[in-house]
Structure formats: C-alpha cells, structure tokens
Amino acid sequence: MFWYIVRRLLQGIPVFFGSTFIIFTLVFALPGNPVLRMFGDRTPSPEQIAALEAKFHLDEPFLTRYFLYLGDVLQGNLGTTYAGQSVNEILARTFPTTLRLALLAVLIQLIIGVLAGLISGLRKGGIFDHATLIVTLLIISMPVFVLAFVAQWVFGIQLGWFRPTVGAGAPWSDLILPAIVLAGLNLAYVVRLTRASVIETSQNDFVRMAYGKGLSRGRVVPVHILRNSMIPVTTNLAADFGILIVGATVTEGIFNVPGVGNELFKAINRHDTPEIVSIVTILVIVYVLVNIAIDLLYGVLDPRIRYVK
C-alpha cells in the first residue's frame, strides 16, 4: 500500500503543474488590464499604471510571470492579490467554510441518497421505487440556481425554517439549506446509482448462497448487498466532493456564503491572476488527495482488492 500511495502522489505532480499552467494561461488571455480594474471609475496616471505593473510583474513576459508565481507557490507563498491581501490569509479564512459546506452536502448525499437508493433497489417496482425515480428525475432536470432560489424563497422566507442567507461566522445551522441545494443534483444520481447497484448485487450468486445458508435479511442486506453496492457509489461521492468544492460558487453567491467559491467569483471579476490561480491550485491538490483516500477505501469495502508494488 505504501508504494501505491507514493505512486499516486507522484502522478499528482504533473496534474499540479499542468493545472496551474492551464489556469495561468487562461487568466493571462482574459481581456482588459487588471490595474485599471483596481481603480474602478477613476483614471490612473501613466506613472501609477507603470508602477503597479512593475510591482506585480505585469510588464514581464508570460513565462517569466508564471515561473515567478510557481517559485513562490513551491515555497508556500500563494502570492498577494492586486489589492494587497495575502492569498494565504484569504484561503485560511474562506476554505474552512467551503469545506464544511461540501462535507455537509456529501453527508446529506450519503445518508439520504444511499438509504433511498437501498430501499428503492430492495423494493424494485413498488410505490416507493416509482416515487423515487420521479422525484430524482425532477431534481436532475432543475438547474442548481433555480433550485437555490426556490429553496431560499420557500424554506427561508415563506416557512422560516432556515435563514435565507448565511450569517457572520457561517454556523453549521446556516449551512444546512445551502448544503441541501448543493447536494441536490448529485443526490439524485446517488439514489439512482445505489438503486441500480443494489439490484445488480442482489442477483449475484454469493447473495443467494448467503440466504441459502440461513442468514437473515438483516445480516445479508448490510454485509453482503450494501457493502458491495457501495463501491461505485463511493467513487461517485469522491469525484463529487471535488466538484462540490469547485461548484459551490453559484450556491455560495446566492446564499452569501463566505467561502472559496464566492471569493473565486469575485477574483474572476477583478481579473486577479494570483488569487484565481492559487485557489484553483489548492482545489486541485484537495481533489487529488481525496481521490487517493477513496482508492484506499476500496480495500475496506471489497477485501478482494489488494494494493501491490
């Protein structure tokens, strides 16, 4: 297992350099001068523009700017925004909120999605199964921003069950409604994937043998059916965890969540190259580490999986 982890970490190195280079290139290609955006409606003097361009190396060639940025990142310095803020401090302030939001969304998907998919798969063709398929189809067909506004208006304003916007400090109670919205789309896929996996696993010979040996349904379902059905679901949740962190931009913007997604959206509007590339770099690293952890979890879910050198 040790060599497997080492190999996966080494595979993440080209992903790291490739992602930073691609993002840096895309941001570099954006039209407009970020220095002018810093002044808003005011018009800076040519001397001010030249001074700021020299300060942030905007007058350097593209590759020079990229390698200067990369050198700082490898030393643990994610750079400084054009407004003079440290990107390290911004991430330290916003990333925990987005991480809590994503974890809460995954937990909702895991509990509700797996439970609904398990019941639907075990009772294939029943009323609950048909109702589940209809509800998940409706959720899949609804864009996330529509779902967010509807949930905010119904549960936050009309019913008053949740705060319509996230308050200062982003307590867990304020993150429940944004997490439900964020989890909504993939929750439908988790339900359907769990249902299909449970139906397929239930038809295997080892399940029939378990029943033939006299094991109770309460023993066969969690140990033999659910455990083996969780492998594709776990893969989906692992991939979705990274998507949730990155894709939280819309949800965080609607619910005013002080997280990374909201900060990334503001940085894109400001054309703030260091902040954009640094945030995306951290998200890539988190995504790679989560996928390595999920690969290791396969060995727990399926004893037949072994990691060799």
Side-chain angles (χ1 to χ4, degrees):
M1 181 178 293
F2 172 77
W3 290 108
Y4 173 80
I5 297 175
V6 172
R7 186 171 69 249
R8 288 300 307 271
L9 290 175
L10 292 176
Q11 291 173 351
I13 293 177
V15 175
F16 167 77
F17 287 107
S19 61
T20 55
F21 182 79
I22 292 174
I23 297 301
F24 205 93
T25 303
L26 293 176
V27 176
F28 182 82
L30 288 176
N33 190 334
V35 172
L36 298 179
R37 294 174 181 267
M38 296 169 56
F39 287 86
D41 297 332
R42 296 176 299 168
T43 302
S45 64
E47 292 77 13
Q48 290 177 311
I49 295 177
L52 289 173
E53 287 182 343
K55 177 181 178 181
F56 295 107
H57 306 288
L58 297 177
D59 54 347
E60 300 283 353
F62 167 73
L63 289 179
T64 303
R65 290 176 56 187
Y66 173 70
F67 285 117
L68 286 172
Y69 167 78
L70 201 59
D72 289 338
V73 170
L74 295 177
Q75 297 177 24
N77 178 20
L78 296 176
T80 306
T81 68
Y82 293 148
Q85 292 181 291
S86 170
V87 179
N88 292 55
E89 295 178 359
I90 292 175
L91 284 173
R93 184 182 71 251
T94 59
F95 190 79
T97 302
T98 297
L99 184 60
R100 287 191 292 130
L101 180 63
L103 288 174
L104 193 57
V106 170
L107 186 63
I108 292 172
Q109 293 177 1
L110 185 62
I111 295 176
I112 300 178
V114 172
L115 182 61
L118 176 63
I119 298 174
S120 182
L122 294 176
R123 300 180 179 180
K124 178 184 176 183
I127 297 177
F128 183 85
D129 184 31
H130 290 301
T132 300
L133 293 177
I134 293 174
V135 172
T136 54
L137 181 61
L138 290 175
I139 295 176
I140 292 173
S141 61
M142 186 178 299
V144 64
F145 65 90
V146 175
L147 183 62
F149 281 122
V150 170
Q152 189 179 48
W153 185 76
V154 174
F155 299 106
I157 298 176
Q158 296 298 318
L159 298 177
W161 292 356
F162 305 97
R163 286 174 57 98
T165 57
V166 177
W172 285 97
S173 57
D174 286 4
L175 295 177
I176 294 177
L177 187 58
I180 293 174
V181 172
L182 189 61
L185 180 59
N186 198 65
L187 175 63
Y189 289 113
V190 170
V191 172
R192 287 173 169 257
L193 184 59
T194 304
R195 173 185 178 274
S197 186
V198 167
I199 293 174
E200 181 181 357
T201 305
S202 300
Q203 299 172 351
N204 287 334
D205 293 336
F206 66 85
V207 175
R208 297 192 183 97
M209 183 179 295
Y211 281 122
K213 291 168 61 178
L215 295 180
S216 65
R217 186 180 180 87
R219 172 70 177 175
V220 174
V221 171
V223 176
H224 297 278
I225 297 179
L226 182 60
R227 181 174 178 178
N228 288 277
S229 301
M230 283 299 295
I231 294 180
V233 178
T234 303
T235 304
N236 178 272
L237 288 175
D240 186 58
F241 182 76
I243 296 174
L244 287 176
I245 293 180
V246 178
T249 304
V250 176
T251 306
E252 289 186 357
I254 294 175
F255 289 94
N256 195 31
V257 180
V260 174
N262 209 345
E263 188 65 33
L264 179 60
F265 178 74
K266 295 177 182 177
I268 293 174
N269 286 334
R270 294 193 305 264
H271 197 164
D272 203 321
T273 304
E275 187 175 3
I276 297 173
V277 180
S278 297
I279 290 177
V280 174
T281 300
I282 295 300
L283 296 180
V284 169
I285 294 175
V286 171
Y287 188 84
V288 171
L289 293 178
V290 168
N291 277 271
I292 293 175
I294 294 299
D295 287 346
L296 298 178
L297 185 60
Y298 288 160
V300 177
L301 295 174
D302 191 347
R304 296 170 297 178
I305 298 177
R306 289 293 180 267
Y307 302 99
V308 296
K309 180 177 178 181

